[in-house]
Amino acid sequence: MPADGGIGASTKRREDVRFLTGQGNYTDDINIHNQAHVFFLRSDMAHGKINGIDTAAAEKMPGVIRIFTSKDFEGVGGIPCGWQVTDRFGEPMQEPKHPVLAEGFVRHVGEPIAAVVAETLQQARDAAEAIELDIEELPPVVDMAAALEEGAPKVHEDLSSNLCFDWGFVEENREAVDEAIRNAPHVTTLELRNQRLVANPMEPRVAIGVYDRADDEHTLYTTSQNPHVIRLLMGAFVLGIPEHKLRVVSPDVGGGFGTKIFHYQEEAFCTFAAKAVNRPVKWRSSRSEAFMSDAQGRDHVTKIELALDEEGKFLAIRTNTLANMGAYLSTFAPSVPTWLHGTLMAGNYTTPLIYVNVKAVFTNTVPVDAYRGAGRPEATFQLERVIDKAARELGIDPIELRRRNFITEFPYETPVALTYDTGDYHATMDKLEELADLKGFEARAAESKKRGKLRGLGVNCYIEACGIAPSNLVGQLGARAGLYESATVRVNATGSITVMTGSHSHGQGHETAFPQVIADMIGIDPEQVEIVHGDTAKGPMGMGTYGSRSLAVGGSAMVRAAEKVINKARKIAAHLMEASEADIELKDGRFTVKGTDKSVAWGDVTLAAYVPHNYPLEELEPGLEETAFYDPSNFTYPAGAYACEVEVDPETGKVDVCSFHAVDDFGNIVNPMIVSGQVHGGLGQGIGQALLENCVYDDDGQLLSASYMDYAMPRADDLPFYSVDHSCQTPCTHNPLGVKGCGEAGAIGSPPTIVNAVVDALQRAGHDVTHIDMPLTPARVWAAMQG
Amino acid sequence: MYEVIITRPRSLAEAIEALGDDNATALAGGQTLIPTMKQRLAAPEVLVSLSGIDELSGVTIGDGEITIGAATTHAEVAREVAGACPALAALAGGIGDPAVRNRGTIGGSLANNDPAADYPAAVLACDATIITNDREIRSDEFFDGLFSTALLEGEIITAVRFPMPERAAYAKFDQPASRFALTGVFVAAGGGVVRVAVTGAGEDGVFRWDAAEQALMKDFSPSAIEGLSPDPSGMIGDLHGTPEYRAHLVGVMTKRAVEAALG
């Protein structure tokens, strides 16, 4: 490990100094002089027809500045959807309008109906209670299968049904897959649910709209993973404000997990209202509001069939999934169960024929969108659970069955449209077997048994597609955005560097890791490099942080910009030393003339660029600042093998996770400590999904798990000490850093590991249990044991 | 939260006078009432804080009994009775989190009578006496269904007197989200009597499980409980467990409490 803080060093996170000492600058820390506060009156009904909203009494309440309803938004666009899916018949998905404030109908608990802007939040809330609503309750649809039945109540009266789209992939394979499954010697079938989750970032969402009447300029401060995307979506599609008159700022962001990617009504409202009342308007979500207004995650119900031959070779996979969209299409919702899910169904295996059918369904629930992993955890869960079940049915060791089907030659074209550039799945599995001491399992199981506990072992693999991705490809798939990334490398006169990146950290440590790359390229101290992000006024158009893309795409853009800077600096150095450019080498922060002792320091060259007295002005512009936009040629494919051991208490059904081993191949690694931290966080969320978290609506569409009293978040004592390893490295072949991305792996690979282990524990104890739906609460595990 | 006036009496007499106001509500540690007010689900006009009254606070360990002032926090109880009644100390030390334990009080918990709270199980199993400004109430007469007690309007719990059990233990199975008791069982034995009180499971709040008491009075051992569980009808069913599961857990937790009580 280099001691100099370059690539490969576990440099401590410089941003933690301010985060851990209360000096962070989060959106809620921002207060603008003369700001007013908004409180949203939200629907307490899952489905209803709005017959009237009487605000007369509320308007007279103390401190009220103005009360808004949908009437104030006539001519304003709906919240746009950023991805259009084409169904298997070639037709576009059904795409209902998503108004800023409810228009005519309420369609989920938590939908904003009216907004009260007042001097204080307390006054706004008091006035909201005085608004008289006349809403006629309509029958809600909550269950996806029921929503698709003939004659089911419609979430959107103007759509033909509750079916958003019926997607087939690869549609041309449909019949061949059917036939392969019909003729296969063995077919393993599994029906499962990937339950709905609430993202729960530590920092709730906040939005502050500011309008400068003198210059006709809007500013939105918001808790976003991608401020430029918000500027484009809100400016162009909702409010009609051109980019040069709209600035979006996201300062420190306290976690996102996907739910802060999307453009929300509250952002558009605050921006709009700030102009309408000519006052800054601030909104801060309460935790209760977050439960019913942040886009939720997962919520797939799937039947998967895996066909195998006598030797356990996979012949075909067929899946049928119902994917819950909620009441409206959130920004990237349609992409999650389709292109981020269907394309991953090959996993780490050579299955030649795959067909994925997804029916996306509207229900009277909070919209669902990308959440850490987004589609890939759903794919991995199905695949790794059905493989485990097949192994038990065929009497083949689960690891052996996986090994028999591993892809071993790269590049590998899957039957579901991806080309894996590189990987070594046997190597990660070998490492796992060593790390997890699988040979010692029986002895540990015997020891558990002495204490009256049932021990189980779960092992599985995962692969994911990260670093989303080639713009021209995603455009063909329906994305209404490019997915490049940008960076400007601004070298200051005395040699320090400011990097404006379109990536935006919401906790990942970019301010530490990105400078390590620049420091390594030039040979300067990383402390000489500063990262600027999260402000559309400061950097070039960027696409933001999600899908484990920051280093792979944003980091690559920064490398390209830095290369341009270095090339120009090399020319300046050649001039200063009166040498040929071809002979100039950059090492340890000095340019030298090859084969001589002539050299010039980085700082002297940068100074020359800005004080161009001795400078080739006829050939070269002064200054040293370059911008690059990087559009990757492929996704990246992190992959790994995970193992865990659990103990089940046979009396109560409680599951304890005794150990968790994660072996990940992330390609090259810039900061191993940050990578381990990302894996730890992902495992925590994945174990949370497997054992604890569950977002539940009752039949009336009321959210039952609406607070931490009923929504179980993982706590430290629910989790084991992790053992993580990322020594297996097959560098990505198509980005300049050879990196793959690590942010989501833990959350993708861990849920099936836990479920596999619990099923293993129960089967070893003689229970005929082949599957339990997540979360594996004590009550569910106990019920499964009762048969 | 709506606007509210908070008064902070220094003596019990002042507190009783303040609570004479029809719009006044007593505020103990506030660990339930304050969050409820923040959600605007409760809107008292006047709060009478009981936390500044010295005579309501503190633990006295006497001959065969422990008296705990109503305003004594869970953290203090956990500390002060660790030697005299480890079962009660463990129960108090397992309530909520450190913040809750350092604000929440025994009197507040009992007056609220949350069906999943821990203290009611200890009070009922130990046959403790609830002392108010006006009278003494036996545990069997005190609890009166969900969030309901024998306390009258304006009546304040001043202390709780626990007879020291010969053997006792509390076994709690956490609700995974809130970590209140999904099912908690307090078993106390003394003077030839065994009492088993169950919290978290019953639709009417804390209750005594007669069948287990009788079995344990014949044979105070885990095996006496083997195969026993109460009728699931009358048990709570919710997101976290069916009535059948809770009934089963009552048996398991009782057995574990007996094991622990036997050391």
Side-chain angles (χ1 to χ4, degrees), chain A residues 44-123:
Chain A
D44 59 7
M45 199 183 283
H47 196 196
K49 183 169 184 297
I50 302 172
N51 291 324
I53 304 173
D54 184 352
T55 59
E59 273 159 21
K60 296 194 186 84
M61 298 277 286
V64 172
I65 296 166
R66 187 167 159 186
I67 298 177
F68 294 80
T69 65
S70 66
K71 277 193 206 137
D72 299 287
F73 285 82
E74 280 167 15
V76 172
I79 302 298
C81 179
W83 201 298
Q84 184 182 65
V85 164
T86 302
D87 75 8
R88 64 193 191 87
F89 311 104
E91 295 298 317
M93 65 187 189
Q94 295 206 80
E95 192 173 353
K97 185 181 177 187
H98 189 186
V100 175
L101 296 173
E103 242 176 52
F105 294 86
V106 290
R107 298 189 172 90
H108 67 84
V109 168
E111 181 169 6
I113 299 169
V116 181
V117 178
E119 296 294 338
T120 69
L121 180 58
Q122 187 79 0
Q123 288 170 330

Side-chain angles (χ1 to χ4, degrees), chain A residues 143 224 436 648 666 690:
Chain A
D143 178 71
S224 177
V648 178
F666 295 132

